[in-house]
């Protein structure tokens, strides 16, 4: 029987609740499928930092390298600065494995009361592609004269032609595979006149390879208004590391809750394992109370299964998710309900088993 080897990294905060919930769903799926999962759990994150002085071991990537995929929770701890938790764990994996495409599907799931009053569920069905390996989050820069009045600091935005070409090509290909074949390229090329102008120029060049994809350009500030006022004019969206980071939080909120939104950190060339995670953070305000919405993690599992080539299994999980969100009794607090993480998880697992029984009957 085919066995997929999955690394689970719950990390911090509610990551420790939603990743085990995700594992439970994968196990329920495997019990009714022709494949199996072999899990290895890595206890990296804030607790590991307190014990070892680092967020993950220096040779941690080696332990992940042979896995088929990684299911990640969150990195962030109230007692450790955010730039240490982020760079020490999540970004170390994303950059170490050159997962250069960060893919974020967004749509309004059945039963979700999304905040925009003039937006019908069919009006908002987007995939945001975020450049995930360079740009504003390259980590290039430094501080001098620390603590003195002349202190100075830089964060250098590093855009390479190779980096921009490969993310644009990925986005055009993704758009080409969707029914509307439409891509919006987001930059800020009026104010940032070097790197962003290069993006626009490369977009024009790459577009010629995909003549069947309709595409347009938007400035990031205008894009926020377009997402709110004309959501139906958008389909696939590509933007830089920083711009897409912000736009995808807005997208998640417009679709109803941060707790629902998924991400894949993808190495399209499959040289390394790709990593799937909910887009939310550690949510310290609700951690340890069983209140976390696990749907963002379950939707990330759908992406993980698609990446493994298990399209039918992915569809089964998505169907179970949609049945659960359609039922207000299974809404967690972020959606205005009273359901607990375990209620939602058990419901999804139950539906997966029921689907299999119906098919067998
Ligand atoms: P980060 O900087 O790591 O992205 P953050 O502090 O910006 O984190 P989150 O930790 O994602 O943001 O939390 C933002 C708010 O959304 C919090 O009030 C949190 O409780 C809520 N939230 C986030 N994820 C979930 C979830 N899965 N279920 C319920 N509420 C959530």
């Amino acid at each position: 029987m085919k066995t997929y080897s999955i690394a689970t990294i719950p990390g911090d905060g509610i990551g420790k609740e939603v990743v085990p919930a995700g594992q439970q769903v994968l196990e329920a799926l495997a019990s009714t499928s022709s494949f199996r999962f072999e899990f290895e759990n890595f206890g990296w994150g804030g607790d590991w930092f307190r014990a070892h002085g680092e967020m993950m071991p220096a040779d941690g990537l080696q332990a992940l390298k042979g896995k088929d995929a990684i299911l990640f929770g969150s990195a962030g701890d109230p007692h450790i600065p955010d730039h240490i938790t982020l760079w020490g764990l999540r970004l170390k994996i994303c950059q170490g494995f050159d997962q250069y495409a960060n893919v974020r599907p967004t749509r309004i799931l059945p039963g979700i009361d999304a905040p925009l009053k003039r937006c019908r569920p069919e009006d908002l069905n987007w995939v945001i592609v975020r450049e995930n390996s360079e740009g504003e989050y390259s980590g290039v820069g430094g501080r001098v004269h620390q603590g003195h009045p002349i202190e100075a600091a830089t964060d250098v935005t590093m855009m390479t032609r190779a980096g921009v070409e490969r993310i644009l090509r990925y986005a055009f290909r993704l758009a080409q595979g969707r029914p509307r074949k439409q891509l919006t390229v987001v930059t800020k090329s009026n104010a940032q006149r070097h790197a962003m102008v290069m993006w626009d120029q490369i977009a024009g060049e790459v577009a010629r390879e995909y003549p069947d994809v309709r595409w347009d350009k938007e400035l990031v500030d205008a894009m926020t208004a377009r997402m709110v006022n004309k959501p139906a004019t958008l389909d696939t969206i590509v933007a830089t590391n920083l711009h897409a980071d912000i736009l995808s939080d807005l997208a998640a909120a417009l679709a109803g809750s941060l707790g629902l939104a998924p991400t894949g950190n993808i190495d399209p060339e499959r040289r390394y394992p790709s990593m799937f995670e909910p887009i939310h953070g550690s949510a310290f305000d609700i951690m340890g109370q069983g209140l976390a919405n696990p749907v963002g993690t379950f939707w990330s599992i759908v992406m993980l299964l698609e990446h493994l080539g298990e399209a039918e299994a992915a569809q089964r999980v998505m169907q179970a998710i949609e049945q659960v969100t359609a039922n207000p009794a299974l809404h967690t607090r972020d959606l205005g309900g009273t359901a607990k993480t375990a209620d939602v998880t058990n419901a999804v697992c139950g539906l997966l088993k029921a689907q299999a029984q119906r098919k067998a009957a």
Side-chain angles (χ1 to χ4, degrees):
M1 185 178 286
K2 192 161 194 176
T3 303
Y4 294 109
S5 139
I6 307 292
T8 52
I9 309 176
D12 302 313
I14 60 169
K16 291 179 182 166
E17 298 167 60
V18 294
V19 167
Q23 182 169 338
Q24 211 178 310
V25 164
L26 283 169
E27 275 161 357
L29 178 74
S31 72
T32 59
S33 300
S34 59
F35 53 80
R36 293 282 175 271
F37 296 105
E38 203 174 72
F39 294 99
E40 188 175 357
N41 188 61
F42 295 88
W44 302 335
D47 295 337
W48 188 275
F49 184 89
R50 274 180 282 278
H52 302 94
E54 53 189 0
M55 290 293 287
M56 66 182 273
D59 60 354
L61 291 183
Q62 233 14 63
L64 299 175
K65 208 171 172 183
K67 304 293 179 192
D68 291 306
I70 303 164
L71 182 63
F72 189 83
S74 165
D77 186 290
H79 308 294
I80 308 170
D82 283 345
H83 66 278
I84 291 178
T85 56
L86 184 64
W87 278 96
L89 185 55
R90 195 180 156 276
L91 288 182
K92 197 162 168 176
I93 299 172
C94 289
Q95 298 203 342
F97 287 160
D98 201 19
Q99 297 163 341
Y100 66 82
N102 183 271
V103 181
R104 302 183 160 195
T106 313
R107 59 192 171 86
I108 300 174
L109 296 177
I112 299 301
D113 181 24
L116 287 179
K117 69 176 179 186
R118 288 194 304 273
C119 176
R120 298 164 303 169
E122 61 270 31
D123 292 336
L124 199 164
N125 186 349
W126 306 329
V127 182
I128 299 181
V129 177
R130 166 181 173 191
E131 202 296 315
N132 210 31
S133 67
E134 55 176 33
E136 305 88 345
Y137 300 173
S138 302
V140 177
R143 284 173 73 174
V144 289
H145 308 304
Q146 283 195 44
H148 297 285
I150 56 165
E151 181 165 358
T154 58
D155 265 300
V156 179
T157 294
M158 188 61 69
M159 305 280 190
T160 63
R161 172 170 274 275
V164 176
E165 266 180 15
R166 67 183 185 174
I167 197 63
L168 283 168
R169 223 168 248 129
Y170 182 88
F172 270 99
R173 254 196 330 269
L174 199 145
Q176 194 177 41
R178 285 170 56 87
R180 289 172 65 189
K181 297 186 191 304
Q182 187 196 324
L183 177 70
T184 301
V185 177
V186 178
T187 63
K188 185 64 186 164
S189 54
N190 56 344
Q192 291 177 298
R193 61 201 176 127
H194 306 296
M196 294 282 74
V197 172
M198 184 176 80
W199 263 74
D200 280 350
Q201 186 191 324
I202 294 174
E205 293 164 16
V206 172
R208 286 199 281 278
E209 299 167 22
Y210 302 89
D212 54 336
V213 176
R214 242 176 345 121
W215 74 287
D216 63 353
K217 290 187 280 187
E218 195 69 81
L219 296 175
V220 65
D221 43 350
M223 185 67 175
T224 57
R226 182 166 162 192
M227 286 166 73
V228 171
N229 292 324
K230 295 180 181 169
T233 66
L234 296 163
D235 185 77
T236 309
I237 297 157
V238 62
T240 70
N241 214 330
L242 169 67
H243 292 168
D245 189 8
I246 297 166
L247 293 180
S248 53
D249 263 33
L250 171 61
L254 296 177
S257 169
L258 205 56
L260 299 168
T263 311
N265 300 284
I266 312 279
D267 165 24
E269 280 77 40
R270 294 174 185 266
R271 301 155 294 172
Y272 304 101
S274 292
M275 179 161 78
F276 300 86
E277 55 172 337
I279 84 164
H280 63 74
S282 305
F284 308 128
D285 52 336
I286 57 163
M287 70 181 187
Q289 299 172 56
L291 295 172
N293 188 342
V295 168
T297 303
F298 299 163
W299 196 347
S300 305
I301 282 174
V302 172
M303 299 180 75
L304 181 153
L305 291 164
E306 283 166 351
H307 186 75
L308 294 179
E310 297 292 350
E312 196 201 319
Q315 224 166 18
R316 282 182 58 201
V317 178
M318 199 67 221
Q319 226 172 51
I321 290 173
E322 293 190 3
Q323 273 177 271
V324 160
T325 59
N327 180 359
L330 290 170
H331 285 186
T332 41
R333 201 168 69 179
D334 54 312
L335 300 175
T338 55
K340 295 290 201 102
T341 313
D343 301 326
V344 182
T345 309
N346 292 337
V348 169
C349 293
L351 285 165
L352 288 172
K353 289 181 182 161
Q355 279 171 1
Q357 277 160 3
R358 264 202 313 279
K359 208 173 154 192

